[in-house]
């Protein structure tokens, strides 16, 4: 692997090191968020589209709750990174690498008694159908492309969507199962049951590559 010593440690210029990134770093500050949110909701109402999250506060709370659960896995040989810049200009909420493999994890504030995953792409429950599963699948595909290019071999990446606030998540018959959809509180347990995919050196090497901002730069 490019630039990764055997123990996975890597010296990076502070501008290139993504390890210090905190969850939700891409979210606008409160005042800016309120202005953008009001405009986005007005446009959504006019076009008959699902309303966006009320403001950055709920999105930040969702990202922080998921980050807290993921970081509890670090004692078990897992590595966690937050707020990674995807090549299309969007952000990957969390990257988890460890014994059970590599996961692109996204979060969404979704307070509902029950969330239902239908037809492989949409989530129904607290609002109009939202294509959250499709978005998570797209993030995982971009992550897979970036890491595979950096390693020079295929790196499987599994998409995980966490619906923060949902009490229960169900899949209807025929819904695709390529994206794991969880409610918060079940994240740590979901990954604790997984292992035997990556050895310690492989996980450390992938983490070292992923924390380097240069790995995520789009290629011409």
């Amino acid at each position: 692997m490019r630039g990764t010593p055997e123990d996975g440690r890597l010296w990076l210029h502070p501008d290139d090191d993504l390890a210090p990134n905190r969850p939700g770093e891409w979210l606008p500050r409160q005042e800016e968020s309120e202005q953008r949110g009001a405009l986005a909701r007005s446009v959504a109402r006019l076009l008959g589209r699902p309303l966006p999250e009320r403001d950055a506060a709920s999105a930040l709370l969702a990202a922080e709750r998921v980050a807290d659960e993921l970081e509890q896995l670090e004692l078990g040989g897992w590595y966690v990174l937050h707020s990674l810049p995807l090549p299309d200009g969007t952000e990957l909420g969390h990257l988890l690498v460890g014994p059970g493999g590599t996961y692109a994890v996204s979060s969404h504030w979704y307070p509902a008694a029950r969330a239902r995953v239908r037809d492989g792409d949409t989530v129904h429950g607290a609002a109009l159908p939202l294509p959250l599963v499709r978005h998570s699948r797209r993030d995982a595909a971009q992550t897979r492309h970036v890491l595979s290019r950096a390693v020079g071999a295929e790196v499987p990446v599994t998409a995980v969507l966490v619906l923060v606030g949902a009490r229960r998540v169900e899949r209807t018959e025929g819904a695709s199962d390529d994206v794991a959809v969880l409610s918060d509180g079940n994240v740590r347990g979901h990954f604790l049951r997984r292992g035997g995919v990556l050895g310690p050196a492989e996980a450390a090497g992938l983490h070292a590559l992923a924390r380097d901002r240069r790995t995520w730069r789009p290629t011409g």
Side-chain angles (χ1 to χ4, degrees):
M1 293 183 182
R2 167 175 58 80
T4 55
E6 289 184 1
D7 62 1
R9 290 177 297 179
L10 178 70
W11 186 91
L12 292 170
H13 188 281
D15 290 343
D16 289 325
D17 191 358
L18 300 173
N21 283 10
R22 299 309 306 150
E25 284 204 355
W26 71 92
L27 293 168
R29 296 305 93 197
Q30 186 63 32
E31 181 178 351
E32 182 184 0
S33 170
E34 290 173 357
Q35 294 171 351
R36 289 185 182 180
L39 176 60
R41 287 190 293 275
S42 297
V43 171
R45 288 190 184 99
L46 285 172
L47 299 178
R49 293 176 179 172
L51 296 180
E53 290 175 299
R54 186 72 188 171
D55 52 41
S58 3
L60 179 59
L61 176 60
E64 289 176 339
R65 283 193 185 177
V66 173
D68 287 345
E69 288 197 69
L70 293 175
E71 288 171 2
Q72 293 176 38
L73 295 164
E74 291 179 325
L75 290 177
W78 293 84
Y79 297 89
V80 184
L81 294 168
H82 309 289
S83 306
L84 301 177
L86 293 171
D88 69 350
T90 61
E91 301 273 350
L92 174 64
H94 319 273
L95 179 71
L96 181 68
V97 181
T102 304
Y103 297 84
V105 184
S106 57
S107 60
H108 189 86
W109 179 251
Y110 203 86
R114 182 175 59 176
R116 295 182 299 279
V117 180
R118 295 181 179 174
D119 63 40
D121 288 323
T122 56
V123 177
H124 302 244
L128 294 174
L130 297 175
L132 302 177
V133 177
R134 183 169 71 238
H135 293 167
S136 296
R137 187 182 293 118
R138 178 199 62 200
D139 290 350
Q142 289 193 76
T143 303
R144 182 185 311 113
H145 173 75
V146 167
L147 295 179
S148 297
R149 181 187 65 201
V151 172
E154 182 68 16
V155 177
V157 177
T158 302
V160 178
L161 169 64
V162 185
L163 299 175
V164 176
R167 296 181 186 175
R168 187 171 59 182
V169 176
E170 299 175 351
R171 288 184 184 274
T172 61
E173 185 177 354
S176 173
D177 61 359
D178 63 318
V179 178
V181 184
L182 313 172
S183 57
D184 58 309
N186 296 316
V187 177
R188 180 172 173 269
H190 177 79
F191 291 109
L192 281 175
R193 296 190 293 269
R194 282 155 175 76
V197 177
L198 294 177
E202 292 176 295
L206 276 174
H207 169 255
L209 279 175
R211 67 183 286 189
D212 188 342
R213 185 183 301 276
R214 295 168 295 181
T215 298
W216 299 90
R217 288 176 184 162
T219 58

